Amino acid sequence: MFVVLAYLFFASATGAAFSEKEATFYMHLNAISMCSPDHIASWDCGIDCDASSANIVNGSLRILGPSTIYHARGFVIQRQRAEPQSAKECIAIFAGTSFYDIQNIRADVEAWLTPWPSWQIHTRNGTHKSWCPSCKVHHGFASAYGELRESLFHHLQDLQCGAVAFTGHSFGAALATLASFEFRGCCSFMRVSGVWTFASPHVGNSAFVSAYSKLSIEEFPPMWRVVRQYDLIPQLPPSWLGFEHAPVQVCYSTPAANVSDVYICTDPQACAAYSHCRYAYGSMEYHHGYFGVPRTDEDQAPESCIPFEELQRKRGRWFQFLLIVVVLFMCIVVCLSVLCVWCCRDPDASGCQDEGHEWCDSSVTSSDGTDTSEMLTLMREDSGLDADDVGENSCSNPSNLQCIC
């Protein structure tokens, strides 16, 4: 109840309220970010470009990336508002994971926490200032964002933006979170007008979330973090690794997003109190298609967004990579199997030593209760060998021994 009252108070005080119309607009932009750079640059990407054109200033588009290592990418545009604005408002859009790009996946799986920001931050008088003490974030996300920082700043300054909104889906949502944090922390000349993330994974630790909320105290909400209850990605990396989510969470408890089943909470810890938004399990089935926009999935993108030949090349490279992984795995298995067999055939390597083993002790009892000394006596009488010969031959023959790898 406290969380709901707090949301109503801040929303009424700031005039901020969650808008599905606005969320859908940003989802169209996120779908566009998955298109090939040429189609983005020409704004020729089918239904998503058509749905967004009225809100975009012609000639304002700037391409971000792809970056050198992690292939992070996106674009920057100037927004066209119906009413006059005191300053130019821009939008920075970060593309989500391409599951045909191993470098994108590499960024996702480098899920250990690393101190952030990793660069020096200076105030106007030249002294160092940390606006995120004790903050740690996902290493892959931090590294990928670090590759795009300079071009992001350059494009926003080139467009002379006075305000900027950030958005992203999945991997792109994590980059949008980091970018909005940095701009709020050290870019007083450019106001952050909004943050809209969809299907965002965990980004940072509790210190990161606390600092993010503190920097955003004059701007409610800090972000609209839209998730589906059964989407797998917002549950990753697991919280037991030290990760937390930033507020404000907008949770849809059913696959079909509509206003009747949306739950909004400002406290990440309190979100778990909503049974409708408690993660029971996760599936990639619910990762795309937010607000009826499924084209954040490359396989759902029209040919006007990603040409068929280009998509086939991406799939081909991905399957080649999978084939290499499978072959390497099989080679490792075969090598280990050969090594195991070799060790088992070598008495010295396998531990089949004569000394100290019960089969070389003539005084032990066999599994059926027969004293082995009696067996040795019978063997001696039948073969004409003495006891020492029988004991030596029976112990030195490894063919009767079983070795388990």
Side-chain angles (χ1 to χ4, degrees):
M1 179 61 70
F2 172 77
V3 175
V4 176
L5 291 175
Y7 166 73
L8 292 175
F9 170 77
F10 282 111
S12 60
T14 62
F18 180 71
S19 166
E20 288 197 335
K21 180 180 179 181
E22 191 77 349
T24 303
F25 165 69
Y26 283 107
M27 272 303 299
H28 283 301
L29 295 179
N30 281 294
I32 294 170
S33 70
M34 301 302 295
C35 298
S36 63
D38 291 343
H39 284 254
I40 297 176
S42 62
W43 210 249
D44 177 21
C45 56
I47 186 173
D48 296 300
C49 284
D50 295 339
S52 309
S53 295
N55 297 306
I56 305 303
V57 175
N58 290 333
S60 66
L61 189 143
R62 305 288 188 274
I63 299 294
L64 290 171
S67 63
T68 305
I69 299 176
Y70 295 94
H71 296 180
R73 57 199 176 99
F75 62 97
V76 176
I77 54 169
Q78 182 183 342
R79 184 166 188 176
Q80 179 72 57
R81 292 282 192 178
E83 63 279 2
Q85 301 292 311
S86 57
K88 289 183 179 180
E89 181 183 0
C90 296
I91 305 174
I93 302 96
F94 298 92
T97 299
S98 168
F99 289 100
Y100 297 123
D101 191 329
I102 188 60
Q103 297 305 108
N104 276 188
I105 297 174
R106 173 187 172 184
D108 291 334
V109 300
E110 290 183 359
W112 57 88
L113 288 167
T114 188
W116 191 84
S118 58
W119 53 87
Q120 293 290 314
I121 300 169
H122 299 272
T123 59
R124 293 179 180 177
N125 59 12
T127 59
H128 178 267
K129 177 183 178 182
S130 176
W131 34 262
C132 197
S134 303
C135 289
K136 292 184 177 182
V137 302
H138 186 292
H139 179 269
F141 299 157
S143 301
Y145 172 65
E147 291 187 302
L148 289 181
R149 285 181 67 244
E150 290 189 10
S151 58
L152 175 63
F153 276 85
H154 171 75
H155 290 324
L156 291 173
Q157 290 177 340
D158 181 52
L159 291 172
Q160 299 179 346
C161 305
V164 58
F166 296 94
T167 188
H169 173 271
S170 190
F171 172 43
L175 303 186
T177 301
L178 295 174
S180 63
F181 197 176
E182 180 177 14
F183 272 74
R184 281 172 172 155
C186 66
C187 300
S188 57
F189 60 89
M190 194 175 303
R191 182 177 66 87
V192 176
S193 57
V195 184
W196 293 76
T197 67
F198 305 86
S200 175
H202 285 109
V203 178
N205 63 356
S206 58
F208 173 86
V209 171
S210 177
Y212 190 94
S213 300
K214 183 178 180 180
L215 276 178
S216 313
I217 195 168
E218 296 181 358
E219 302 171 8
F220 185 85
M223 73 164 69
W224 292 118
R225 183 173 58 81
V226 185
V227 299
R228 281 174 168 174
Q229 181 182 6
Y230 302 114
D231 189 350
L232 175 63
I233 297 304
Q235 306 176 50
L236 299 175
S239 57
W240 50 263
L241 288 177
F243 289 92
E244 287 189 12
H245 270 308
V248 167
Q249 175 174 283
V250 180
C251 176
Y252 286 89
S253 62
T254 61
N258 58 70
V259 75
S260 63
D261 54 24
V262 61
Y263 299 86
I264 302 174
C265 61
T266 59
D267 183 359
Q269 300 297 328
C271 291
Y274 289 118
S275 60
H276 301 285
C277 287
R278 191 176 299 125
Y279 294 120
Y281 64 90
S283 171
M284 290 300 293
E285 177 185 355
Y286 305 106
H287 187 54
H288 299 284
Y290 281 61
F291 301 101
V293 182
R295 291 166 295 280
T296 49
D297 179 0
E298 287 176 296
D299 289 325
Q300 300 294 324
E303 191 169 355
S304 57
C305 171
I306 305 177
F308 178 75
E309 294 79 7
E310 180 179 339
L311 188 59
Q312 288 296 91
R313 285 195 298 270
K314 288 185 175 183
R315 290 170 176 165
R317 288 193 296 266
W318 173 244
F319 289 126
Q320 288 176 1
F321 171 77
L322 286 182
L323 180 61
I324 292 172
V325 170
V326 170
V327 171
L328 288 176
F329 176 77
M330 293 178 65
C331 289
I332 292 172
V333 170
V334 170
C335 291
L336 289 177
S337 300
V338 172
L339 180 63
C340 182
V341 171
W342 180 83
C343 289
C344 290
R345 291 178 60 84
D346 185 348
D348 294 333
S350 65
C352 301
Q353 305 293 330
D354 289 350
E355 296 180 0
H357 288 272
E358 62 179 18
W359 57 78
C360 294
D361 188 350
S362 63
S363 63
V364 299
T365 302
S366 64
S367 60
D368 61 358
T370 305
D371 192 314
T372 56
S373 61
E374 296 179 4
M375 297 172 62
L376 290 173
T377 302
L378 294 174
M379 293 173 62
R380 180 192 62 199
E381 294 175 350
D382 292 341
S383 62
L385 299 174
D386 59 24
D388 292 337
D389 292 335
V390 173
E392 180 180 354
N393 291 338
S394 64
C395 292
S396 61
N397 181 10
S399 63
N400 295 326
L401 304 180
Q402 293 184 349
C403 202
I404 301 176
C405 298

